[in-house]
Each structure stands twice: as C-alpha cells, then as structure tokens.
Amino acid sequence: MKHLLIVSLFLFSLPLVAQGQPVRTRFIGAGLVLGAGHTDMSRLNVFMPSEMRKLEHEQSVFGVTGYSFVNRYVIGLTGVGLLGDRIMNDTIVVSTGGGIGTIGFGYLLVNREMVKVFPLIGIGGSHFGVRMAKNNTVWADDLVKNPGREIKIGIDQWAIDISMNLNIIASPLFDNEEGGYGTPMMGVKIGYILSLPSSHWNFSNGNVLGGPYFGINMVYVQLMSCAIGYRKKSE
C-alpha cells in the first residue's frame, strides 16, 4: 500500500502545473479500479481458532466504477470487492472478504482540459464476512453424513465513502460526425469508507449471537483505468 500512496501523491501534484483555461464539460465514463486498503480486523479475531494466527489488516480492492460529469458537477457509481486475509493449517482454512457499492456526488475543484480533481461523497451498502472450511479431501458419502463442513458468517451495513479524486485525460480524439470526444482516462482515488458498526452477524439460515461490534472503517487508495466520451463547451 505504501507504493500506491507514493504514486498517488505524485499524481495529485500534477494539477499544480496544469495549464489551460477552465472548460465546461459533459461526459460519461466507465472502467476498472484496483487498489489497496487498511481496516482494523482485530475484533474479528474472536472467530479465529486458537491455534491460528491473528488476521492481517490489509485488503485488496478491485471492481468497477462509472462517472457522469455535467459542467462542474459529478455523479459516480462504484462497486468494489474486498479480498482480505487467508489463513490455513492442516485442518482448516479461514478467509475474509466482502464488497461495497455506493453512489456519490461531487464538484470539480480543478477543471482543465486534461485534468479533473474533485471530492466525492458516496452512500450505499457494504457486506463483509468470514469463511471457515475444512482443509482436506473427503468422499462424497462423507459430505452427506457430515454436511457442516463450511461456515460463512457475514454482516450487512450502510456505508459512506469520502474521497478525493484525480482524473487525467489523454489527448482527446475528436469525432466530427458526433461532435464529441472519446479517449482513455486514468485516475487515482484516495478515500475513507465508514460503515455504521453493528453486531448483527448472520450465516446461511440463522443469526450469530454474541458476535463482535464491527464496521468496515477503511482508508484506501485506488487506481482507475477507463474510457470516456464527452462534449466540450468553452466558458
């Protein structure tokens, strides 16, 4: 995650030297995101067998995103998966992970021809879970006699995503027939996800009593690659 932060700080310095006049822009874009996050997993160690180590706090982040820019206003949709720690020994495998989906609203602070910088505040939902499974090979008959070989414990929560975004647009390709542009766009997003803490854990067909009070409170860095199409009007 340290390397992503270094790259992100470098990219965020680019608008300081960006040249050109502000522009009025209308475009939409969609693409893929990849990044890393850090969230406190210590409360989930109550689910860990005593003979196994504690859960790590790092999360891999991957998913899709989309933006709509209307002049200086931004609407964003994001759906990402979280891939957490995976621990195993001779008899059991424990893994963590989840997902977050939000719709966000922002305003362009820097609106140049090839550089867009904006804060974004999103709201949506999140799911996070712990999966425990036996780590050995079995006969088919054993699965029928002993079906309880895997447990998936999860928690669903409201989530708020607060971020600062930098998008860098490649040299635009003008389409005379359509009167608009199409081009790749790269971006970096640094933010914090706050989910409302809860202890309402569930699994398959029931609830988990006495579970830990937990929320996905995660700082993250994401890199984005997408394609956009837009129309431009000078102010």
Side-chain angles (χ1 to χ4, degrees):
M1 186 172 179
K2 180 176 70 175
H3 299 296
L4 279 176
L5 284 171
I6 294 172
V7 173
S8 301
L9 291 173
F10 169 74
L11 291 175
F12 269 103
S13 70
L14 294 180
L16 298 178
V17 297
Q19 302 296 321
Q21 297 298 318
V23 293
R24 294 180 59 195
T25 304
R26 297 188 180 189
F27 67 82
I28 59 174
L32 303 176
V33 296
L34 182 65
H38 181 95
T39 186
D40 185 2
M41 300 290 290
S42 58
R43 294 189 177 185
L44 299 191
N45 285 318
V46 300
F47 294 129
M48 296 297 296
S50 59
E51 69 274 15
M52 305 186 80
R53 65 169 175 81
K54 304 301 183 183
L55 291 167
E56 299 288 346
H57 303 303
E58 285 69 30
Q59 309 288 322
S60 297
V61 183
F62 57 93
V64 295
T65 189
Y67 290 115
S68 175
F69 290 70
V70 180
N71 300 329
R72 283 188 173 269
Y73 298 98
V74 185
I75 299 175
L77 292 172
T78 302
V80 297
L82 305 178
L83 185 61
D85 203 1
R86 186 175 187 271
I87 307 170
M88 61 186 298
N89 59 22
D90 294 337
T91 59
I92 192 171
V93 178
V94 179
S95 58
T96 64
I100 301 168
T102 61
I103 178 172
F105 302 91
Y107 184 80
L108 285 168
L109 300 179
V110 176
N111 183 24
R112 303 296 182 184
E113 183 77 22
M114 300 176 67
V115 178
K116 313 291 182 184
V117 178
F118 56 94
L120 198 70
I121 299 178
I123 187 169
S126 67
H127 174 83
F128 200 84
V130 179
R131 174 181 174 270
M132 292 176 279
K134 295 291 181 65
N135 183 31
N136 52 12
T137 303
V138 299
W139 292 97
D141 291 345
D142 291 336
L143 292 176
V144 178
K145 297 175 183 178
N146 181 25
R149 299 185 56 81
E150 181 176 325
I151 299 176
K152 294 181 180 179
I153 305 169
I155 191 169
D156 300 309
Q157 303 162 307
W158 289 100
I160 299 174
D161 184 358
I162 303 172
S163 65
M164 182 62 72
N165 301 260
L166 165 64
N167 291 345
I168 299 175
I169 300 172
S171 299
L173 303 176
F174 185 69
D175 188 326
N176 287 310
E177 294 183 2
E178 298 294 332
Y181 292 84
T183 185
M185 181 173 72
M186 305 295 291
V188 61
K189 179 178 183 180
I190 299 176
Y192 185 78
I193 292 174
L194 171 66
S195 62
L196 301 179
S198 172
S199 59
H200 296 156
W201 293 86
N202 57 74
F203 71 98
S204 300
N205 297 314
N207 297 318
V208 178
L209 302 179
Y213 203 62
F214 176 79
I216 306 176
N217 300 324
M218 181 178 72
V219 60
Y220 67 84
V221 177
Q222 296 177 9
L223 302 180
M224 178 194 69
S225 175
C226 74
I228 63 171
Y230 69 100
R231 297 176 183 275
K232 182 197 68 174
K233 295 182 180 179
S234 299
E235 288 188 332

